[in-house]
Amino acid sequence: MAKSIPTPKAQHHHGDLRNALVQAGLDILDTEGMDALTLRKAAARAGVSHAAPAHHFGDKEGLLVAIATHGFEVFTATMLNERYKTGDGPQQQLEGICRGYLRFSNERPALFRLIFSLPYKEHLDPALQTASVNAYMVLAEVCALFEPSPHGPGVNELRVWSAVHGYASLALTGRGNTRPGGNPVKLEWLIPELTPLQPK
Amino acid sequence: MAKSIPTPKAQHHHGDLRNALVQAGLDILDTEGMDALTLRKAAARAGVSHAAPAHHFGDKEGLLVAIATHGFEVFTATMLNERYKTGDGPQQQLEGICRGYLRFSNERPALFRLIFSLPYKEHLDPALQTASVNAYMVLAEVCALFEPSPHGPGVNELRVWSAVHGYASLALTGRGNTRPGGNPVKLEWLIPELTPLQPK
DNA sequence: TGTACATCAGTGAACGCGCGTTCACTGATGTAC
DNA sequence: TGTACATCAGTGAACGCGCGTTCACTGATGTAC
């Protein structure tokens, strides 16, 4: 049995405040956007005094890093979730993760912007680094099902990534469909054509 | 002859304060970044009281729009400036404007982010709209030198734009060269291959 | 099992800061006659 | 050319705001014995 019955009254010890603050931050991003994301609002949404976040994150940057880390994890999960939906072939898998990419940027635009606004190389937070690399690995794994680019390793990944990231970014500012006619854009039009590996 | 000799002392009438404030804003963006761009700092850099900007721009949004408008014009000029540097052929022109695109994003990252962070469709400021469309027209004109995409009008533009915009954005966050080896990325690797029109 | 004590987590008040905006004002400019 | 007056552009003081951060504190938890 639990040591004490949790009452609706405020308890001094939250128990899982760190995660609660990250969740609060994600909620604020999704509902009010980046500018509204402050330590004070996150604390308020978590039901805690506004000085509490300092204990867990030190400063605001710390909270942003924690949120971005979680954001990359959600991002990775979204891509993986779409990966096999169309089929098992290399092309279907590639389309799947790109569809996941666009779904994430479309459904959680503020979070998408946040995770790609933190500088990559200088930032040494290990958890963030890991989460970021894991997201990239989803793409790299699928690209390994294709013939490597004649221009060198990683070039296929870069081409696909640039195309889908660019389209996602442009779409977020309302420039996704500047064509006169305006039929919906199909994902296949954007993804560079790669040659699947021949099974021996 | 001028009516009065301009003295180094502060004059009540600036004469060209609107442009001076836009220039001050551009300077701040280039040297200190987006977060440092405030009405008060722009006024200070223009050598004017901090309440002066309100007369010309109403509020902060107004200054941002004016800066972004100028930003689009510089962006357009940068692309045009590179357009013929490699050669007259369609492929060379296309590479040229893409090189200009990347040069602009690389040299003026904060300005680049600003012009693509203002929402496109909802924003009705006519000058900004015009400047933005003019930038797009540079790309559209060069794409007109190629066979139109079988998928419909504007699709070639969208593919090229997505690729180069995505690469530019990723490079700004330090993700432009994630490949193990790390040879410099060549522009031709990124641009989708289009078929030049056959001269009849 | 009970007690003493160290450690940890969250509180609440206070701090200074820079910000955008407002407003009555004043100095400069332009125009009518 | 000169005068009166309206209009315009920039001033400087003041306002309230929300923010991140600090700090002594208190309540809760965990541990040693």
Side-chain angles (χ1 to χ4, degrees):
Chain A
M1 186 184 282
K3 290 182 185 172
S4 64
I5 299 169
T7 67
K9 293 185 61 177
Q11 295 168 290
H12 193 85
H13 274 65
H14 181 285
D16 194 22
L17 182 54
R18 190 188 156 87
N19 284 330
L21 286 169
V22 170
Q23 267 305 325
L26 291 167
D27 285 350
I28 292 169
L29 279 180
D30 288 340
T31 55
E32 303 177 62
M34 188 63 194
D35 289 344
L37 179 53
T38 66
L39 287 179
R40 291 173 105 101
K41 278 189 183 165
R45 205 177 272 239
V48 111
S49 89
H50 67 261
H55 271 266
H56 293 273
F57 302 106
D59 56 11
K60 190 181 183 183
E61 180 77 8
L63 176 60
L64 289 182
V65 166
I67 293 173
T69 303
H70 193 87
F72 268 114
E73 289 163 359
V74 173
F75 182 43
T76 300
T78 306
M79 288 190 286
L80 289 177
N81 190 49
E82 297 282 343
R83 181 167 172 182
Y84 292 107
K85 275 198 180 168
T86 309
D88 282 358
Q91 198 65 36
Q92 285 93 359
Q93 291 187 48
L94 185 58
E95 278 186 37
I97 65 166
C98 289
R99 192 166 48 243
Y101 203 110
L102 294 178
R103 191 154 77 84
F104 179 78
S105 70
N106 198 49
E107 291 178 356
R108 313 196 73 172
L111 184 55
F112 177 76
R113 285 201 180 97
L114 171 63
I115 67 178
F116 284 111
S117 70
L118 296 181
Y120 175 63
K121 286 179 180 166
E122 301 99 61
H123 220 299
L124 297 176
D125 181 82
L128 177 57
Q129 200 85 352
T130 300
S132 166
V133 167
N134 283 347
Y136 182 74
M137 283 306 166
V138 175
L139 174 61
E141 274 174 22
V142 172
C143 281
L145 304 174
F146 294 84
E147 294 282 350
S149 165
H151 301 117
V155 173
N156 281 345
E157 287 86 333
L158 188 61
R159 291 179 68 202
V160 174
W161 199 13
S162 292
V164 67
H165 187 81
Y167 179 71
S169 303
L170 292 171
L172 286 189
T173 73
R175 291 174 167 86
N177 211 342
T178 54
R179 301 169 305 118
N183 293 329
V185 176
K186 289 200 181 155
L187 192 47
E188 313 92 83
W189 302 348
L190 299 171
I191 304 175
E193 289 185 12
L194 307 181
T195 309
L197 282 175
Q198 294 303 323
K200 297 183 181 180
Chain B
M1 183 184 285
K3 290 182 186 171
S4 65
I5 300 169
T7 67
K9 293 184 61 176
Q11 295 168 291
H12 193 85
H13 273 65
H14 182 286
D16 194 23
L17 183 54
R18 190 189 157 87
N19 284 331
L21 286 169
V22 169
Q23 268 304 326
L26 292 166
D27 285 351
I28 292 170
L29 278 181
D30 288 340
T31 55
E32 303 177 62
M34 187 63 195
D35 289 345
L37 178 54
T38 65
L39 287 180
R40 292 172 103 102
K41 278 190 183 165
R45 205 176 272 239
V48 110
S49 88
H50 68 261
H55 271 265
H56 293 274
F57 303 106
D59 57 10
K60 190 180 182 184
E61 180 77 8
L63 177 60
L64 289 183
V65 166
I67 293 173
T69 302
H70 193 88
F72 267 115
E73 288 162 1
V74 174
F75 182 42
T76 300
T78 306
M79 287 189 288
L80 290 177
N81 190 48
E82 296 282 343
R83 180 166 172 183
Y84 292 107
K85 275 197 179 169
T86 310
D88 282 357
Q91 197 65 37
Q92 285 93 358
Q93 291 188 48
L94 185 58
E95 277 185 39
I97 64 167
C98 288
R99 194 167 45 244
Y101 203 109
L102 294 177
R103 190 153 78 83
F104 179 79
S105 71
N106 198 50
E107 291 176 356
R108 313 197 73 172
L111 184 55
F112 176 77
R113 285 202 180 97
L114 171 63
I115 68 178
F116 283 112
S117 71
L118 296 181
Y120 176 63
K121 286 180 181 166
E122 301 99 60
H123 220 300
L124 297 178
D125 180 83
L128 177 57
Q129 200 84 350
T130 300
S132 165
V133 168
N134 284 346
Y136 182 74
M137 284 307 169
V138 176
L139 174 62
E141 274 174 22
V142 173
C143 280
L145 304 175
F146 295 84
E147 292 283 351
S149 165
H151 301 117
V155 173
N156 281 345
E157 287 86 331
L158 188 62
R159 291 179 67 203
V160 173
W161 199 13
S162 292
V164 68
H165 186 81
Y167 179 70
S169 303
L170 291 170
L172 286 189
T173 73
R175 291 177 167 84
N177 211 340
T178 53
R179 302 169 306 119
N183 293 329
V185 176
K186 290 201 180 151
L187 193 48
E188 314 92 82
W189 302 349
L190 298 172
I191 304 176
E193 290 183 13
L194 307 180
T195 308
L197 282 175
Q198 294 303 323
K200 297 183 182 181

